[in-house]
Amino acid sequence: MAQADRLLPGLNVFTSRARYYTFLCWALARAQAEAPPRAHLERVFRLERLLVLCEALQHEDEPLACSYIGRRRGRSFVTERRGAGLWELPTRILKNQGSNGALRLYRTSLASLGLIEEDDLDEGLGLRLTDRGQQLANQLDRAIDEGVVGWTLEGGTQQQKRRGTLLDAGARMCLSSRMGAYERRYLVASLFGAGGDGIERRETVQVLFEHKLLGFASVGSDSTDNDADLITEDGGKPAEEAALFETRTNWGVLRPALALPSTNRLQPIQVAGAYQLASLGLNALFASALEPTAQQGRLSLATWRERIAGRAGIDFEASSAAAWAGHRSPAEVAADLLDDTPRPWPEIGMLAIELLLRLGLDERYARWLGDDPTPIVERLLLWTRDASIARAGELAARLLPDLVEHHRDVSVKKGKGEWLVLDGEELVKHDPRPVRLLLHSLRFAQLAQLAADLNLHPKDVADET
């Protein structure tokens, strides 16, 4: 998270549509105008529901053509009333709009972009638009029918609006609509300007452009529509698909970046990539012990080691760990772990051990990881120092208990239970959860979508002379 904050501060896993900043500034301005503070939040919620209704109607025949928060429920709402001429405002677009609505997910980002300021008032939303935020709000205010706004804020759940009226509003509000020159200028300046967090975001984008690492996302395939409250619905499938999309996009940036010569400007991305691979290897090693223990209830460390050795070959127990690990690059090993091939847990464990050894034995990766390492990464680097004299099986059996201990400590900090416990030389199932082999978000997927929305070019982030 610290690396993501250094590379793209102010973005998060949901801030992937540029026009949401425009919409929310407009919604805040309209919600706070001529209304008591206690009504402001509900008025914002109503305008969020208006956007979902208009987007769902606008893209009724192509429901994946535009992504927005609440798309799944918006599509259901429109599908259930297909063909209707008159429409009411939805009363619900999310399981919990207060926690997972657009304002909640974008609020910190709005402040980072200099579009809102937090205030100390006890009433209302506790924020106000800045001059730039008001300028952005004005771009949408000129385009939206006042009758639709009044219907939304005052009586949208009791009255109805004609389909054509809502389609017209949707065309003007749509997050995929072509934006005007002034709106685009304000958004680019807010995201990548010379003030506050914009400087760090601009520098990261400059480096990505310089090395042709900034791919453009497809609007229909991003993770914005996989709302936060869908994590527990449909067996977690929407959240899993979003996480896989994040992984593919992060890997699309990191893999070529890690292959490039190291420079001062590129190093922050390469260090973040090295940490991503260390995390992947540690998670894979933990997963290789978690799966059989969850199935059997108990598993001895000796059995776990023996099963991995059976897949890893004779050198796993007969030669030094360095000799067994060979010379594949860490990125090559990581690619095997990240592909779609179903693998049994002994093979996952084998690849995890290979990746972790290669990270410590490769001079560049060891240097990237060794600059102010976290405790678990420091432990990993110390572990690989014995690779020339110890066997891979011995090192694996030494690292796994440390990893179980680390997971226990992290779980305590999060207020959650342990998944595995160590009972002497045996692993015991406690409260296991599935582990997916992913690259945690560095917000490159969100950046790619923002860049696509803005039709961003290198000249947009060039330093002023």
Side-chain angles (χ1 to χ4, degrees), residues 82-109:
R82 193 174 185 90
L86 295 173
W87 293 79
E88 70 274 13
L89 191 72
T91 58
R92 190 183 190 194
I93 56 169
L94 294 165
K95 185 184 298 182
N96 188 337
Q97 194 175 354
S99 298
N100 300 326
L103 178 60
R104 171 67 178 81
L105 298 177
Y106 275 76
R107 180 166 177 151
T108 299
S109 192

Short mmCIF file of all heavy atoms in Angstrom, two decimals, residues 82-109:
data_model
loop_
_atom_site.label_atom_id
_atom_site.label_comp_id
_atom_site.label_asym_id
_atom_site.label_seq_id
_atom_site.Cartn_x
_atom_site.Cartn_y
_atom_site.Cartn_z
N ARG A 82 -38.42 -3.80 -18.54
CA ARG A 82 -38.10 -3.58 -19.95
C ARG A 82 -39.36 -3.20 -20.74
O ARG A 82 -40.41 -3.84 -20.63
CB ARG A 82 -37.47 -4.84 -20.54
CG ARG A 82 -36.82 -4.60 -21.91
CD ARG A 82 -36.09 -5.84 -22.38
NE ARG A 82 -35.36 -5.59 -23.62
CZ ARG A 82 -34.11 -5.17 -23.68
NH1 ARG A 82 -33.44 -4.96 -22.57
NH2 ARG A 82 -33.52 -4.95 -24.85
N GLY A 83 -39.23 -2.15 -21.54
CA GLY A 83 -40.33 -1.69 -22.38
C GLY A 83 -41.21 -0.64 -21.74
O GLY A 83 -42.09 -0.09 -22.41
N ALA A 84 -41.01 -0.35 -20.46
CA ALA A 84 -41.84 0.64 -19.78
C ALA A 84 -41.60 2.03 -20.36
O ALA A 84 -40.48 2.38 -20.74
CB ALA A 84 -41.55 0.64 -18.29
N GLY A 85 -42.66 2.82 -20.42
CA GLY A 85 -42.53 4.19 -20.93
C GLY A 85 -42.26 5.19 -19.84
O GLY A 85 -41.68 6.25 -20.08
N LEU A 86 -42.71 4.87 -18.61
CA LEU A 86 -42.52 5.76 -17.47
C LEU A 86 -41.68 5.04 -16.41
O LEU A 86 -41.86 3.84 -16.17
CB LEU A 86 -43.87 6.17 -16.88
CG LEU A 86 -44.77 7.02 -17.79
CD1 LEU A 86 -46.15 7.20 -17.16
CD2 LEU A 86 -44.13 8.38 -18.05
N TRP A 87 -40.81 5.81 -15.75
CA TRP A 87 -39.86 5.21 -14.81
C TRP A 87 -39.81 5.98 -13.51
O TRP A 87 -39.88 7.20 -13.50
CB TRP A 87 -38.45 5.18 -15.43
CG TRP A 87 -38.36 4.26 -16.60
CD1 TRP A 87 -38.77 4.49 -17.87
CD2 TRP A 87 -37.87 2.92 -16.56
NE1 TRP A 87 -38.57 3.39 -18.65
CE2 TRP A 87 -38.00 2.41 -17.89
CE3 TRP A 87 -37.33 2.11 -15.58
CZ2 TRP A 87 -37.61 1.12 -18.22
CZ3 TRP A 87 -36.92 0.83 -15.91
CH2 TRP A 87 -37.06 0.34 -17.21
N GLU A 88 -39.69 5.23 -12.41
CA GLU A 88 -39.46 5.84 -11.09
C GLU A 88 -37.97 5.74 -10.76
O GLU A 88 -37.25 4.94 -11.35
CB GLU A 88 -40.29 5.15 -10.02
CG GLU A 88 -39.87 3.73 -9.67
CD GLU A 88 -40.48 2.68 -10.56
OE1 GLU A 88 -41.05 3.05 -11.63
OE2 GLU A 88 -40.37 1.48 -10.23
N LEU A 89 -37.55 6.52 -9.79
CA LEU A 89 -36.16 6.46 -9.34
C LEU A 89 -35.97 5.19 -8.51
O LEU A 89 -36.78 4.90 -7.63
CB LEU A 89 -35.83 7.69 -8.49
CG LEU A 89 -34.36 7.90 -8.14
CD1 LEU A 89 -33.58 8.34 -9.38
CD2 LEU A 89 -34.21 8.95 -7.04
N PRO A 90 -34.91 4.41 -8.76
CA PRO A 90 -34.68 3.22 -7.92
C PRO A 90 -34.51 3.62 -6.45
O PRO A 90 -33.93 4.67 -6.15
CB PRO A 90 -33.38 2.63 -8.48
CG PRO A 90 -33.21 3.22 -9.84
CD PRO A 90 -33.86 4.57 -9.79
N THR A 91 -35.01 2.78 -5.58
CA THR A 91 -34.81 3.03 -4.15
C THR A 91 -33.54 2.38 -3.63
O THR A 91 -33.08 2.69 -2.53
CB THR A 91 -36.01 2.49 -3.34
OG1 THR A 91 -36.14 1.09 -3.60
CG2 THR A 91 -37.28 3.23 -3.72
N ARG A 92 -32.96 1.48 -4.44
CA ARG A 92 -31.77 0.77 -3.98
C ARG A 92 -30.91 0.39 -5.18
O ARG A 92 -31.39 -0.23 -6.12
CB ARG A 92 -32.17 -0.48 -3.22
CG ARG A 92 -31.03 -1.18 -2.50
CD ARG A 92 -31.53 -2.44 -1.84
NE ARG A 92 -30.54 -3.01 -0.95
CZ ARG A 92 -30.60 -4.24 -0.45
NH1 ARG A 92 -31.63 -5.01 -0.75
NH2 ARG A 92 -29.68 -4.70 0.37
N ILE A 93 -29.63 0.78 -5.16
CA ILE A 93 -28.71 0.39 -6.22
C ILE A 93 -27.53 -0.41 -5.67
O ILE A 93 -26.76 -0.99 -6.43
CB ILE A 93 -28.18 1.62 -6.98
CG1 ILE A 93 -27.52 2.60 -6.01
CG2 ILE A 93 -29.28 2.26 -7.79
CD1 ILE A 93 -26.74 3.69 -6.69
N LEU A 94 -27.40 -0.45 -4.35
CA LEU A 94 -26.33 -1.18 -3.69
C LEU A 94 -26.87 -1.74 -2.39
O LEU A 94 -27.87 -1.24 -1.85
CB LEU A 94 -25.14 -0.26 -3.39
CG LEU A 94 -24.36 0.32 -4.58
CD1 LEU A 94 -23.48 1.47 -4.11
CD2 LEU A 94 -23.52 -0.75 -5.24
N LYS A 95 -26.22 -2.74 -1.89
CA LYS A 95 -26.62 -3.29 -0.60
C LYS A 95 -26.48 -2.24 0.49
O LYS A 95 -27.33 -2.12 1.37
CB LYS A 95 -25.77 -4.50 -0.26
CG LYS A 95 -26.20 -5.22 1.01
CD LYS A 95 -25.25 -6.36 1.34
CE LYS A 95 -25.26 -7.41 0.24
NZ LYS A 95 -24.38 -8.56 0.57
N ASN A 96 -25.41 -1.46 0.45
CA ASN A 96 -25.18 -0.40 1.43
C ASN A 96 -24.57 0.79 0.71
O ASN A 96 -23.37 0.87 0.52
CB ASN A 96 -24.25 -0.90 2.54
CG ASN A 96 -24.13 0.10 3.68
OD1 ASN A 96 -24.35 1.30 3.51
ND2 ASN A 96 -23.78 -0.39 4.85
N GLN A 97 -25.42 1.71 0.29
CA GLN A 97 -24.94 2.85 -0.49
C GLN A 97 -24.04 3.76 0.33
O GLN A 97 -23.12 4.39 -0.20
CB GLN A 97 -26.13 3.63 -1.06
CG GLN A 97 -25.75 4.62 -2.15
CD GLN A 97 -26.95 5.29 -2.78
OE1 GLN A 97 -28.10 4.95 -2.48
NE2 GLN A 97 -26.71 6.26 -3.65
N GLY A 98 -24.29 3.81 1.65
CA GLY A 98 -23.45 4.65 2.49
C GLY A 98 -22.01 4.19 2.53
O GLY A 98 -21.08 5.01 2.56
N SER A 99 -21.78 2.88 2.50
CA SER A 99 -20.43 2.33 2.55
C SER A 99 -19.81 2.14 1.18
O SER A 99 -18.59 2.27 1.01
CB SER A 99 -20.43 0.99 3.28
OG SER A 99 -20.86 1.14 4.61
N ASN A 100 -20.65 1.82 0.18
CA ASN A 100 -20.13 1.41 -1.11
C ASN A 100 -20.57 2.27 -2.27
O ASN A 100 -20.34 1.91 -3.43
CB ASN A 100 -20.53 -0.05 -1.38
CG ASN A 100 -20.00 -0.99 -0.31
OD1 ASN A 100 -18.93 -0.78 0.22
ND2 ASN A 100 -20.77 -2.02 0.01
N GLY A 101 -21.22 3.39 -1.98
CA GLY A 101 -21.63 4.28 -3.05
C GLY A 101 -20.47 5.10 -3.59
O GLY A 101 -19.36 5.09 -3.07
N ALA A 102 -20.73 5.82 -4.67
CA ALA A 102 -19.67 6.55 -5.36
C ALA A 102 -19.01 7.60 -4.47
O ALA A 102 -17.78 7.75 -4.47
CB ALA A 102 -20.24 7.21 -6.62
N LEU A 103 -19.80 8.35 -3.69
CA LEU A 103 -19.21 9.38 -2.85
C LEU A 103 -18.26 8.76 -1.83
O LEU A 103 -17.15 9.27 -1.61
CB LEU A 103 -20.30 10.18 -2.14
CG LEU A 103 -19.79 11.26 -1.17
CD1 LEU A 103 -18.92 12.29 -1.90
CD2 LEU A 103 -20.94 11.95 -0.45
N ARG A 104 -18.67 7.68 -1.21
CA ARG A 104 -17.82 7.02 -0.22
C ARG A 104 -16.51 6.52 -0.85
O ARG A 104 -15.44 6.68 -0.28
CB ARG A 104 -18.59 5.85 0.41
CG ARG A 104 -17.75 4.94 1.30
CD ARG A 104 -17.28 5.66 2.55
NE ARG A 104 -16.53 4.77 3.41
CZ ARG A 104 -15.26 4.45 3.26
NH1 ARG A 104 -14.58 4.97 2.24
NH2 ARG A 104 -14.65 3.64 4.11
N LEU A 105 -16.59 5.94 -2.03
CA LEU A 105 -15.42 5.35 -2.66
C LEU A 105 -14.49 6.39 -3.27
O LEU A 105 -13.29 6.16 -3.42
CB LEU A 105 -15.85 4.35 -3.73
CG LEU A 105 -16.66 3.15 -3.22
CD1 LEU A 105 -17.11 2.27 -4.37
CD2 LEU A 105 -15.86 2.33 -2.21
N TYR A 106 -15.03 7.55 -3.65
CA TYR A 106 -14.22 8.59 -4.30
C TYR A 106 -13.87 9.75 -3.37
O TYR A 106 -13.11 10.63 -3.77
CB TYR A 106 -14.98 9.15 -5.50
CG TYR A 106 -14.81 8.36 -6.78
CD1 TYR A 106 -15.46 7.16 -6.98
CD2 TYR A 106 -13.99 8.84 -7.81
CE1 TYR A 106 -15.31 6.43 -8.15
CE2 TYR A 106 -13.84 8.14 -9.00
CZ TYR A 106 -14.50 6.93 -9.16
OH TYR A 106 -14.35 6.22 -10.33
N ARG A 107 -14.40 9.76 -2.16
CA ARG A 107 -14.24 10.96 -1.32
C ARG A 107 -12.77 11.31 -1.07
O ARG A 107 -12.37 12.46 -1.25
CB ARG A 107 -14.97 10.75 0.02
CG ARG A 107 -14.85 11.96 0.94
CD ARG A 107 -15.83 11.87 2.08
NE ARG A 107 -15.67 13.00 3.01
CZ ARG A 107 -16.65 13.50 3.75
NH1 ARG A 107 -17.86 12.97 3.68
NH2 ARG A 107 -16.43 14.51 4.57
N THR A 108 -11.97 10.35 -0.65
CA THR A 108 -10.55 10.63 -0.39
C THR A 108 -9.85 11.08 -1.67
O THR A 108 -9.00 11.98 -1.64
CB THR A 108 -9.86 9.38 0.17
OG1 THR A 108 -10.50 9.02 1.40
CG2 THR A 108 -8.39 9.63 0.43
N SER A 109 -10.22 10.48 -2.78
CA SER A 109 -9.62 10.84 -4.06
C SER A 109 -10.01 12.26 -4.47
O SER A 109 -9.19 13.01 -5.01
CB SER A 109 -10.03 9.84 -5.13
OG SER A 109 -9.25 10.00 -6.29
#
